[in-house]
Amino acid sequence: EAGLAAIEALADEKVERYRPWHAARAHLLAQMGDPIGAAAAYRKALDLNPARAERLFLETKLQETSA
């Protein structure tokens, strides 16, 4: 919870456009047992047009979260 709180404390307009922030947030949400929040954060990261390798990673994580 402390990690998620620390990441969310950084939220602002610039961070909202930073894919790794969304991916890290998604990871922490998944670890905390919030698959819906994690999936939404992974989708947001994917919406920010990652490179192919990163997209594949994020898509895999999204599928694992949604399973």
Side-chain angles (χ1 to χ4, degrees), residues 4-5 14 16 23 28 31 34 37 43 49 52 59 66-67:
L4 181 60
K14 289 182 182 180
E16 284 291 323
L28 292 171
Q31 284 188 326
D34 181 0
R43 283 189 198 96
N49 299 318
R52 185 176 188 275
E59 288 172 345
S66 301

Side-chain angles (χ1 to χ4, degrees), residues 2-6 10 12-13 16 21 25-26 33 35 39-40 45-46 48-51 54 60 65-67:
L4 181 60
L10 300 172
D12 66 15
E13 278 186 35
E16 284 291 323
W21 183 81
R25 187 171 173 273
L46 285 163
L48 295 172
N49 299 318
E54 187 178 357
T60 299
T65 302
S66 301

